[in-house]
Amino acid sequence: MNAFAIDPIRLAVVQKQVDHISQQMGWIMTRTARSPIFSQSHDFTCFVAGASGDIIAQADGIPIHSGGGGFAVRATLQAFGEEMAEGDVYLLSDPYTAGGNHLPDWTMIRPVFVGGRLCGFTCNRAHQSDIGGGAAGTYNPEATEIFHEGIRLPVLRLVEGGKLRRDLFNLLLLNSRCPDLMEGDLNAMFGSTRIGAERVAAMLSEMGVDCGLAYFDALLRYGEARMRAEIAKLPNGIYLGEDGSDTDCFQAMEVPVRVALEIRDDTLVFDFTGSAPQIRGFKNSSLANTYSAVYVAVATFFDHSLPRNEGLFRPVSIIAPEGTVVNARPPAPMTMNTVHPATDIIYACWKALAQAAPERGCAGWGKACYGLSSGRDAEGRVFVMYHWHGASGGGAVKGRDGFPSVGHMISLGGLTLPNVEGYEQAYPVRIHRQELRRDTAGAGEFRGGPGVDYVCEVLAPTEHAIRAEGVRRPSGYGINGGLDGAVGKLEVEELGKGPRPPPQYGIQRLGPSRIRVLSSAGGGWGDPLRRDLGAVLADVLDGIISEEAARDVYGLVLTRDGRAVDHEQTSLRRALLMKA
């Protein structure tokens, strides 16, 4: 084999190698970062890009981070181009000028040089605990322009020729309420990208640089070819999808995200014309974030064995009119955009895609209604605590029930729920309850995740930043005959002073308080009367559904002792419900 002949077996091995490098970068980050948001919740993503900025591996982390990661790498190339040198490290966040998705996600980009030749980049995009702005914890639901949300980073050369620019580093720390955490987290990011770069360089050196780069290019071509073949299986046509929000963060209003999907042979065109104008609140999307959300929708809809590189999306075109909620003009705020409208964009795309291939349809995950609490601990240090334990239920797909309680849909399970005992050691909090809800899961042949009933006491005065998207109407939509999941609910009580009804979005300034989250539930897939009887019985015994719901929704009748299925009565009951 000459250096440029591509062997398919070796191609698969190379993809596995770069995927493993991105995973190893993630392990380093998890084990060395200071903030629980990284070490426990994994709110970061590591990925590897080729020399032109195309993502070739994104096996670790959160899809909404890495899907648009190529925008950040290409912005870095545009900003520094031929000035890049071995030992440089770059940092960026700004969604308007630097290919960022939103300000809290700082993207560290390290060029990989082999023999003086630029061969690629190792990258880590991580959500910082605090970046200044009008509210601790990076999320300011009262923001009306991006300047209220924290420090904006264009593409910065943070390390030049292997030497840290201490002036810039100090500037970053000075703009955080948690400089001790940020210093440790940035050092973890340095370490993860350095080890990744060393491994990429070693792999290319072993293969031969020209041969290795030929394989990197072949990975992208292979991803493109596989995706085109998948799209070609769908019927040509135009399919419509819509989702959206019911608030602009300040008042109730409809904020639709509408898409017209055109399938043309082996290409997809997503046109968001008709979506809402950009809004006053911080749920506007940057262009990179919108592309990333569409990529998440596409990657999850098709064959799970497709390689996860940017070649996959070459057959995908996106029309996102400027000045809308999917492509806002500055200075619109947008810190919430990686969740909303990203989730709304994904749902609109899923609904359109499902019209072309209903069996692949994905039910909606419940939209979150928990926030974060920030304050000072007993030593006077600022803490930022996300109420991850109130996470919503996931949506069902054919063959699998929705996850019971899982981080935001845009993470696809990559955002993990932290350990309760660890939280109680790290923060002034006592968690009293985290149990699955009953009769909330969207019914179906495969049911949605039920969500949780979460109760905690925050033992110190705090600012409670609230983002309660899934409380007014069902957000975990059912599909193919499946039913919607239940709405969520948020309750707040200031200890000794009584209830403090929270806004849907906003900041509450509280003394010690009790917070309860009844999280929203995921939607079901398929007719509930087709659900396996054993699965229904297990849900009854587990307390996920009541005996009444089993009978009235699923047509299952229990024996007198409530421990088994009465098959004769169940057959009669299901026949009766099918006729109704």
Side-chain angles (χ1 to χ4, degrees), residues 56-229:
I56 57 175
Q58 45 185 338
D60 174 84
I62 298 175
I64 198 66
H65 282 170
S66 55
F71 280 80
V73 181
R74 290 186 284 272
T76 305
L77 281 165
Q78 184 175 5
F80 285 90
E82 295 182 0
E83 297 179 37
M84 285 185 179
E86 193 162 0
D88 285 356
V89 180
Y90 301 89
L91 190 71
L92 61 89
S93 72
D94 192 66
Y96 290 113
T97 66
N101 47 14
H102 70 168
L103 290 182
D105 285 342
W106 287 10
T107 307
M108 185 173 287
I109 297 174
R110 185 184 293 268
V112 179
F113 285 85
V114 181
R117 181 177 177 182
L118 177 64
C119 296
F121 301 87
T122 53
C123 313
N124 185 337
R125 174 168 274 170
H127 186 113
Q128 304 303 308
S129 294
D130 186 83
I131 59 164
T138 75
Y139 285 105
N140 181 7
E142 296 178 350
T144 57
E145 57 183 17
I146 196 169
F147 304 107
H148 300 156
E149 299 187 288
I151 189 171
R152 300 173 64 183
L153 305 183
V155 182
L156 303 173
R157 182 152 47 188
L158 187 57
V159 177
E160 187 169 5
K163 184 176 181 180
L164 176 68
R165 294 187 58 187
R166 178 58 64 175
D167 55 346
L168 283 181
F169 196 74
N170 289 341
L171 175 67
L172 299 176
L173 300 184
L174 190 64
N175 278 274
S176 174
R177 296 175 178 86
C178 310
D180 55 330
L181 296 180
M182 177 173 284
E183 183 172 16
D185 295 337
L186 287 174
N187 283 327
M189 294 173 74
F190 283 135
S192 70
T193 55
R194 179 179 63 82
I195 296 300
E198 290 174 357
R199 287 205 58 195
V200 171
M203 182 181 70
L204 291 174
S205 297
E206 181 180 350
M207 295 178 67
V209 173
D210 288 337
C211 178
L213 295 181
Y215 270 87
F216 282 3
D217 185 59
L219 292 175
L220 298 170
R221 295 198 311 272
Y222 175 69
E224 178 182 2
R226 286 285 309 276
M227 177 55 78
R228 289 190 185 278

Side-chain angles (χ1 to χ4, degrees), residues 256-259 271-277 324-326:
V257 171
R258 299 188 177 102
V259 69
D271 186 350
F272 290 93
T273 301
S275 295
T324 65
V325 72
V326 299

Side-chain angles (χ1 to χ4, degrees), residues 339-395:
V339 183
H340 305 293
T343 298
D344 314 335
I345 293 167
I346 293 167
Y347 285 178
C349 294
W350 273 357
K351 291 173 183 178
L353 286 162
Q355 295 172 37
E359 291 290 296
R360 289 187 177 273
C362 306
W365 301 31
K367 294 181 181 178
C369 57
Y370 63 85
L372 61 90
S373 295
S374 60
R376 292 188 178 273
D377 62 20
E379 284 73 39
R381 295 171 299 194
V382 173
F383 68 86
V384 177
M385 187 191 79
Y386 289 76
H387 292 280
W388 301 119
H389 300 98
S392 303

Side-chain angles (χ1 to χ4, degrees), residues 10-23 57 199 203 206-207:
R10 192 176 191 189
L11 184 68
V13 171
V14 170
Q15 183 72 74
K16 293 295 185 183
Q17 284 181 291
V18 288
D19 285 348
H20 186 264
I21 290 171
S22 75
Q23 290 175 322
R199 287 205 58 195
M203 182 181 70
E206 181 180 350
M207 295 178 67

Side-chain angles (χ1 to χ4, degrees), residues 11 217-233 266-267 306-307 309-315:
L11 184 68
D217 185 59
L219 292 175
L220 298 170
R221 295 198 311 272
Y222 175 69
E224 178 182 2
R226 286 285 309 276
M227 177 55 78
R228 289 190 185 278
E230 288 293 312
I231 297 170
K233 298 175 184 177
D266 62 354
T267 63
L306 290 170
N309 63 51
E310 207 163 353
L312 208 68
F313 309 119
R314 287 175 175 173

Side-chain angles (χ1 to χ4, degrees), residues 242-248 251-258 276 283 340-341 343-344 347 351 364-369 392 437 440 468-478 483-490 504-505 518-523:
E242 180 175 340
D243 201 82
S245 177
D246 54 15
T247 176
D248 72 346
Q251 62 182 345
M253 64 181 295
E254 294 301 315
V255 187
V257 171
R258 299 188 177 102
K283 296 188 297 179
H340 305 293
T343 298
D344 314 335
Y347 285 178
K351 291 173 183 178
W365 301 31
K367 294 181 181 178
C369 57
S392 303
R437 299 179 71 187
T440 53
E469 190 69 25
V471 297
R472 285 185 177 161
R473 62 189 182 197
S475 52
Y477 64 86
L483 304 185
D484 295 342
V487 299
K489 186 178 182 181
L490 177 64
Q504 189 174 6
Y505 279 86
L518 296 162
S519 66
S520 53

Side-chain angles (χ1 to χ4, degrees), residues 363-364 366 393-397 400-403 437-451 474 476-479 481-487 520-528 531 539 544-545 553-554:
V397 294
R400 179 183 57 74
D401 292 343
F403 299 117
R437 299 179 71 187
R438 176 179 287 189
D439 288 343
T440 53
E445 181 178 356
F446 303 98
R447 62 156 175 80
Y477 64 86
I479 195 166
L483 304 185
D484 295 342
V487 299
S520 53
W525 190 101
D527 185 350
R531 184 164 176 78
D539 284 343
I544 304 298
I545 62 174
V553 178
Y554 291 99

